[in-house]
Amino acid sequence: MSEERPKNQRQLAFPTAQRGEAPGIVEGGTESLAAERGTESPAGTERLMEEAVERENLKEALRRVKANKGSPGVDGMTVHALADHLKEHWPAIREQLLSGTYKPQPVRRVEIPKPDGGVRKLGIPTVLDRLIQQAVMQVLQRRWDRTFSEHSYGFRPRRSAHQAVAQAQQYIAEGYRWVVDLDLEKFFDRVNHDKLMGQVAKRVTDKRVLKLLRAFLTAGVMENGLVSPVDEGTPQGGPLSPLLSNQVLDELDRELERCGHRFVRYADDCNIYVRSERAGQRVMESVTRFISQKLKLKVNSEKSAVARPEARKFLAFSFTRNREPKRRIAPKAMARFKERVRELTRRTRGVSLEEMVADLSAYLRGWRGYFGFCQTPRVLMHLDSWIRRRLRSVVCQQWKRFGRRVKELQKLGVSRAWAVRTASSGLGPWRLSHDPTICQALPNVFFDTLGLPRLAAGS
């Protein structure tokens, strides 16, 4: 695989574990980092279950489960009902966990559409199982995360998609202007249970935790009232799946590091940056072989490619082809954005302008929080202008009758002569929204007062 190098939490009846039962987490690097990455001393892993059910760990797990909200599982229990359920049943649940007899319930199958077509199958655990998964995940993550590759950015504390995109940009700027873009086919559905548990068993000696993890993997899926067994995959929808996916792909990270590759991985999205197309083809062949033979997974040949970075997308971003590449919004992400804005600003929605702006603003703030990381301000300014024009066309549609148009324009400071001229123009709402008189009556600041956020500063 080598390439040429060149808010206040309600008090709960969680019993407190006796002090000293669960060993502390090793801090720093001499013990775990001096050894091969991925190993853990038995003394630190043989009583993980006690640490998982410790009061403070459970309070944090409950806080996160409630913050994530989410749908009920197969038992119908909501997140809001969980606290009361724990007050009554937690001592018995805790005893089952400590004795290794706890049995998770099947997950509820939910299908959600993918942005690029098809569906993504989610497995929604019950809220109680989500709490237990979260508690166990927190304990394992504190131990495992520091051993993962610095090239892995997905589902990790203090790491983000923006950091991954920035690192990819840095590789391109350094002259690695070809990318091996890998897409793993149905990754979460195809994880080999035996291989995964074999990896986990090297790091965990608490057999109760190993048994519980295996039980979560094989709990089954309920669909249309029927429970089907599961013999592979880590169902998306539970708190443990992201951590387990990083554990599975850590073996890939190690191999890529061993070969000296420049790469960035975010969950199952992996980009490797090389200097030439020929090197990229060699890397694609060897990595595909490694993933198939060693990880027992499959590379989607239709969605994977060796190409110029500007021709591919990574975490919904792409890059310009400048000497100093800039981050830009990928075309498909831009198309999805415009489609959503069109839905929210449809003139036939039958809602007031204020309500429409409120709905739109919530979406725009979230979108800006992620895509504001782009380095193409003109694009954002164009989008701001386009959004305001769509809203002006909504107003023009609402002022459909001649008399009302004249009246409303005059209210907004337009002279009667210009109001009459504009109202009688015969133009449709979209063309009329670009008329100078409409823009004067409904300036940018008008939408600011309604709370519409701007995507670009000063637009």
PDB file of all heavy atoms in Angstrom, residues 153-167:
ATOM      1  N   TYR A 153     -11.441  11.785  12.708  1.00  0.00           N
ATOM      2  CA  TYR A 153     -12.109  12.981  13.237  1.00  0.00           C
ATOM      3  C   TYR A 153     -13.572  12.757  13.621  1.00  0.00           C
ATOM      4  O   TYR A 153     -14.159  13.590  14.283  1.00  0.00           O
ATOM      5  CB  TYR A 153     -12.050  14.112  12.196  1.00  0.00           C
ATOM      6  CG  TYR A 153     -10.652  14.645  11.973  1.00  0.00           C
ATOM      7  CD1 TYR A 153      -9.794  14.038  11.074  1.00  0.00           C
ATOM      8  CD2 TYR A 153     -10.201  15.758  12.676  1.00  0.00           C
ATOM      9  CE1 TYR A 153      -8.507  14.526  10.862  1.00  0.00           C
ATOM     10  CE2 TYR A 153      -8.915  16.257  12.477  1.00  0.00           C
ATOM     11  CZ  TYR A 153      -8.074  15.629  11.570  1.00  0.00           C
ATOM     12  OH  TYR A 153      -6.796  16.101  11.374  1.00  0.00           O
ATOM     13  N   GLY A 154     -14.178  11.670  13.194  1.00  0.00           N
ATOM     14  CA  GLY A 154     -15.605  11.482  13.392  1.00  0.00           C
ATOM     15  C   GLY A 154     -15.983  10.951  14.759  1.00  0.00           C
ATOM     16  O   GLY A 154     -15.336  10.036  15.280  1.00  0.00           O
ATOM     17  N   PHE A 155     -17.031  11.524  15.363  1.00  0.00           N
ATOM     18  CA  PHE A 155     -17.595  11.049  16.623  1.00  0.00           C
ATOM     19  C   PHE A 155     -16.553  10.978  17.733  1.00  0.00           C
ATOM     20  O   PHE A 155     -16.493  10.015  18.507  1.00  0.00           O
ATOM     21  CB  PHE A 155     -18.225   9.666  16.432  1.00  0.00           C
ATOM     22  CG  PHE A 155     -19.174   9.598  15.275  1.00  0.00           C
ATOM     23  CD1 PHE A 155     -18.935   8.738  14.210  1.00  0.00           C
ATOM     24  CD2 PHE A 155     -20.301  10.395  15.241  1.00  0.00           C
ATOM     25  CE1 PHE A 155     -19.811   8.677  13.136  1.00  0.00           C
ATOM     26  CE2 PHE A 155     -21.182  10.341  14.171  1.00  0.00           C
ATOM     27  CZ  PHE A 155     -20.937   9.475  13.116  1.00  0.00           C
ATOM     28  N   ARG A 156     -15.724  11.996  17.821  1.00  0.00           N
ATOM     29  CA  ARG A 156     -14.691  12.017  18.852  1.00  0.00           C
ATOM     30  C   ARG A 156     -14.733  13.355  19.590  1.00  0.00           C
ATOM     31  O   ARG A 156     -14.989  14.394  18.967  1.00  0.00           O
ATOM     32  CB  ARG A 156     -13.302  11.805  18.228  1.00  0.00           C
ATOM     33  CG  ARG A 156     -13.135  10.462  17.541  1.00  0.00           C
ATOM     34  CD  ARG A 156     -11.717  10.281  17.028  1.00  0.00           C
ATOM     35  NE  ARG A 156     -10.754  10.323  18.115  1.00  0.00           N
ATOM     36  CZ  ARG A 156      -9.433  10.369  17.939  1.00  0.00           C
ATOM     37  NH1 ARG A 156      -8.933  10.407  16.706  1.00  0.00           N
ATOM     38  NH2 ARG A 156      -8.622  10.399  18.973  1.00  0.00           N
ATOM     39  N   PRO A 157     -14.466  13.342  20.895  1.00  0.00           N
ATOM     40  CA  PRO A 157     -14.473  14.600  21.655  1.00  0.00           C
ATOM     41  C   PRO A 157     -13.442  15.580  21.111  1.00  0.00           C
ATOM     42  O   PRO A 157     -12.333  15.190  20.728  1.00  0.00           O
ATOM     43  CB  PRO A 157     -14.106  14.158  23.081  1.00  0.00           C
ATOM     44  CG  PRO A 157     -14.397  12.700  23.136  1.00  0.00           C
ATOM     45  CD  PRO A 157     -14.155  12.174  21.752  1.00  0.00           C
ATOM     46  N   ARG A 158     -13.820  16.841  21.063  1.00  0.00           N
ATOM     47  CA  ARG A 158     -12.933  17.936  20.655  1.00  0.00           C
ATOM     48  C   ARG A 158     -12.429  17.771  19.228  1.00  0.00           C
ATOM     49  O   ARG A 158     -11.402  18.322  18.859  1.00  0.00           O
ATOM     50  CB  ARG A 158     -11.747  18.082  21.632  1.00  0.00           C
ATOM     51  CG  ARG A 158     -12.185  18.438  23.043  1.00  0.00           C
ATOM     52  CD  ARG A 158     -11.027  18.419  24.015  1.00  0.00           C
ATOM     53  NE  ARG A 158     -10.484  17.082  24.146  1.00  0.00           N
ATOM     54  CZ  ARG A 158     -11.006  16.126  24.912  1.00  0.00           C
ATOM     55  NH1 ARG A 158     -12.104  16.360  25.605  1.00  0.00           N
ATOM     56  NH2 ARG A 158     -10.444  14.925  24.990  1.00  0.00           N
ATOM     57  N   ARG A 159     -13.144  17.003  18.417  1.00  0.00           N
ATOM     58  CA  ARG A 159     -12.808  16.874  16.997  1.00  0.00           C
ATOM     59  C   ARG A 159     -14.073  17.100  16.182  1.00  0.00           C
ATOM     60  O   ARG A 159     -15.173  16.825  16.645  1.00  0.00           O
ATOM     61  CB  ARG A 159     -12.197  15.504  16.684  1.00  0.00           C
ATOM     62  CG  ARG A 159     -10.763  15.417  17.175  1.00  0.00           C
ATOM     63  CD  ARG A 159     -10.124  14.073  16.884  1.00  0.00           C
ATOM     64  NE  ARG A 159      -8.686  14.201  17.092  1.00  0.00           N
ATOM     65  CZ  ARG A 159      -7.780  14.171  16.133  1.00  0.00           C
ATOM     66  NH1 ARG A 159      -8.147  13.983  14.878  1.00  0.00           N
ATOM     67  NH2 ARG A 159      -6.504  14.312  16.394  1.00  0.00           N
ATOM     68  N   SER A 160     -13.913  17.594  14.963  1.00  0.00           N
ATOM     69  CA  SER A 160     -15.082  17.995  14.191  1.00  0.00           C
ATOM     70  C   SER A 160     -14.871  17.769  12.706  1.00  0.00           C
ATOM     71  O   SER A 160     -13.746  17.551  12.229  1.00  0.00           O
ATOM     72  CB  SER A 160     -15.368  19.486  14.428  1.00  0.00           C
ATOM     73  OG  SER A 160     -14.343  20.273  13.836  1.00  0.00           O
ATOM     74  N   ALA A 161     -15.986  17.840  11.976  1.00  0.00           N
ATOM     75  CA  ALA A 161     -15.926  17.750  10.521  1.00  0.00           C
ATOM     76  C   ALA A 161     -15.126  18.908   9.941  1.00  0.00           C
ATOM     77  O   ALA A 161     -14.394  18.745   8.957  1.00  0.00           O
ATOM     78  CB  ALA A 161     -17.340  17.726   9.947  1.00  0.00           C
ATOM     79  N   HIS A 162     -15.248  20.094  10.530  1.00  0.00           N
ATOM     80  CA  HIS A 162     -14.486  21.246  10.040  1.00  0.00           C
ATOM     81  C   HIS A 162     -12.983  20.996  10.135  1.00  0.00           C
ATOM     82  O   HIS A 162     -12.220  21.370   9.234  1.00  0.00           O
ATOM     83  CB  HIS A 162     -14.859  22.491  10.840  1.00  0.00           C
ATOM     84  CG  HIS A 162     -16.202  23.039  10.493  1.00  0.00           C
ATOM     85  ND1 HIS A 162     -16.802  24.082  11.179  1.00  0.00           N
ATOM     86  CD2 HIS A 162     -17.082  22.712   9.501  1.00  0.00           C
ATOM     87  CE1 HIS A 162     -17.966  24.358  10.633  1.00  0.00           C
ATOM     88  NE2 HIS A 162     -18.167  23.542   9.628  1.00  0.00           N
ATOM     89  N   GLN A 163     -12.546  20.375  11.212  1.00  0.00           N
ATOM     90  CA  GLN A 163     -11.122  20.064  11.342  1.00  0.00           C
ATOM     91  C   GLN A 163     -10.676  19.079  10.265  1.00  0.00           C
ATOM     92  O   GLN A 163      -9.584  19.203   9.711  1.00  0.00           O
ATOM     93  CB  GLN A 163     -10.844  19.489  12.734  1.00  0.00           C
ATOM     94  CG  GLN A 163     -11.001  20.481  13.863  1.00  0.00           C
ATOM     95  CD  GLN A 163     -10.860  19.833  15.225  1.00  0.00           C
ATOM     96  OE1 GLN A 163     -11.088  18.635  15.393  1.00  0.00           O
ATOM     97  NE2 GLN A 163     -10.490  20.632  16.217  1.00  0.00           N
ATOM     98  N   ALA A 164     -11.534  18.108   9.971  1.00  0.00           N
ATOM     99  CA  ALA A 164     -11.200  17.138   8.928  1.00  0.00           C
ATOM    100  C   ALA A 164     -11.081  17.813   7.571  1.00  0.00           C
ATOM    101  O   ALA A 164     -10.144  17.547   6.807  1.00  0.00           O
ATOM    102  CB  ALA A 164     -12.265  16.041   8.891  1.00  0.00           C
ATOM    103  N   VAL A 165     -12.008  18.696   7.261  1.00  0.00           N
ATOM    104  CA  VAL A 165     -11.971  19.402   5.970  1.00  0.00           C
ATOM    105  C   VAL A 165     -10.735  20.289   5.886  1.00  0.00           C
ATOM    106  O   VAL A 165     -10.065  20.358   4.843  1.00  0.00           O
ATOM    107  CB  VAL A 165     -13.264  20.230   5.792  1.00  0.00           C
ATOM    108  CG1 VAL A 165     -13.165  21.124   4.557  1.00  0.00           C
ATOM    109  CG2 VAL A 165     -14.477  19.306   5.683  1.00  0.00           C
ATOM    110  N   ALA A 166     -10.398  20.964   6.978  1.00  0.00           N
ATOM    111  CA  ALA A 166      -9.214  21.831   6.986  1.00  0.00           C
ATOM    112  C   ALA A 166      -7.939  21.027   6.785  1.00  0.00           C
ATOM    113  O   ALA A 166      -7.011  21.481   6.103  1.00  0.00           O
ATOM    114  CB  ALA A 166      -9.150  22.616   8.295  1.00  0.00           C
ATOM    115  N   GLN A 167      -7.880  19.822   7.351  1.00  0.00           N
ATOM    116  CA  GLN A 167      -6.692  18.989   7.167  1.00  0.00           C
ATOM    117  C   GLN A 167      -6.583  18.517   5.717  1.00  0.00           C
ATOM    118  O   GLN A 167      -5.493  18.499   5.138  1.00  0.00           O
ATOM    119  CB  GLN A 167      -6.738  17.784   8.102  1.00  0.00           C
ATOM    120  CG  GLN A 167      -5.516  16.877   8.000  1.00  0.00           C
ATOM    121  CD  GLN A 167      -4.212  17.574   8.323  1.00  0.00           C
ATOM    122  OE1 GLN A 167      -3.944  17.883   9.478  1.00  0.00           O
ATOM    123  NE2 GLN A 167      -3.395  17.844   7.306  1.00  0.00           N
TER     124      GLN A 167
END
